[in-house]
Amino acid sequence: MTKLTYYTATTLDGFIADPDDSLEWLFRQDQDDKGPLNYEDFIKDIGAIVMGATTYEWIRTKQPDEWSYSMPSWVMTHRDLKPPAVAGIDADVRFASGSVREVYDAMVAAADGKDLWVVGGGDLVGQFADEGLLDEVITYIAPVTLGAGRPILPRRLDLELVEATPNKAFIAARYRFVGPLTEDRADLTVEAEELVVESRSRGTSDCVSRR
């Protein structure tokens, strides 16, 4: 079954970039490229990817003469963006807006049985989580704190730790997505029950008034 994964790196205090969208804190970290949960092993099983406009523009700015993704790629945006123009590369980049569920369905069809990757950013991942489409999060946790920046996943969610292994400077961790935070689900249940009681009370009052 096709799996949707958020594969990223984060600081210890939960940021994927600083307030200026810099990743210098990340690039200076030491890691084993063949170590646990490494990118090479991950990407070979990916059949389609999706990213937000900010992530796309960051990649194009930092790597103007490259496009590293051979698989179909979606960019969620309301901006007028251009596909990569890289010599010798026929980049399959598709721009979309609106429902992530529609994009998810298109990605599954294009992936031909392989898995899907949400490159970033965090709010886009949150939209997939909101729709119940996120399956797992794999993150390299760096020994850095920033205090502010772009959060890894700005949602209140429950995750289950599946594995965690040191990789030189990092902790490489994989989590299974469980769902909305338990406390929030409990609050929603109470709210729903209160609405049912209120609705029934109104119905009883209407019946009495009509007698």
Side-chain angles (χ1 to χ4, degrees):
M1 184 175 177
T2 300
K3 179 170 58 179
L4 179 72
T5 299
Y6 180 28
Y7 184 98
T8 191
T10 179
T11 63
L12 187 60
D13 58 345
F15 296 104
I16 57 175
D18 76 7
D20 297 319
D21 288 326
S22 171
L23 298 180
E24 294 305 316
W25 59 269
L26 173 63
F27 297 146
R28 63 180 171 81
Q29 305 299 327
D30 188 22
Q31 68 169 302
D32 178 1
D33 292 337
K34 302 293 185 180
L37 300 175
N38 69 77
Y39 177 80
E40 184 178 329
D41 288 345
F42 170 76
I43 198 67
K44 70 183 181 183
D45 293 325
I46 298 300
I49 68 173
V50 62
M51 65 187 74
T54 299
T55 300
Y56 177 74
E57 290 185 309
W58 188 93
I59 292 172
R60 300 302 302 127
T61 299
K62 298 297 183 181
Q63 303 172 338
D65 300 321
E66 300 177 33
W67 182 251
S68 302
Y69 311 108
S70 59
M71 66 288 291
S73 307
W74 274 259
V75 178
M76 301 296 296
T77 183
H78 294 286
R79 308 175 197 173
D80 183 19
L81 301 177
K82 305 298 182 185
V86 180
I89 297 178
D90 184 17
D92 183 357
V93 176
R94 314 172 192 192
F95 300 100
S97 59
S99 169
V100 295
R101 183 170 289 277
E102 292 180 5
V103 170
Y104 175 87
D105 291 339
M107 291 173 67
V108 170
D112 194 26
K114 287 192 168 186
D115 292 331
L116 314 177
W117 175 24
V118 189
V119 182
D123 186 68
L124 178 60
V125 179
Q127 293 177 48
F128 282 97
D130 293 343
E131 294 290 331
L133 299 172
L134 181 64
D135 291 297
E136 67 176 17
V137 176
I138 298 176
T139 182
Y140 269 56
I141 305 168
V144 173
T145 60
L146 295 176
R150 295 193 179 270
I152 182 173
L153 213 176
R155 292 293 192 278
R156 291 164 60 88
L157 304 174
D158 276 336
L159 304 171
E160 177 188 358
L161 180 63
V162 177
E163 62 179 293
T165 312
N167 184 327
K168 295 198 173 179
F170 296 93
I171 293 294
R174 181 161 64 95
Y175 300 87
R176 182 180 68 86
F177 171 64
V178 175
L181 197 69
T182 297
E183 290 73 16
D184 293 346
R185 280 181 278 155
D187 289 345
L188 288 173
T189 300
V190 170
E191 182 178 341
E193 290 174 348
E194 289 175 346
L195 287 173
V196 169
V197 170
E198 181 180 347
S199 177
R200 288 174 177 171
S201 298
R202 283 202 303 269
T204 302
S205 298
D206 290 344
C207 289
V208 171
S209 66
R210 287 197 296 269
R211 288 180 179 178

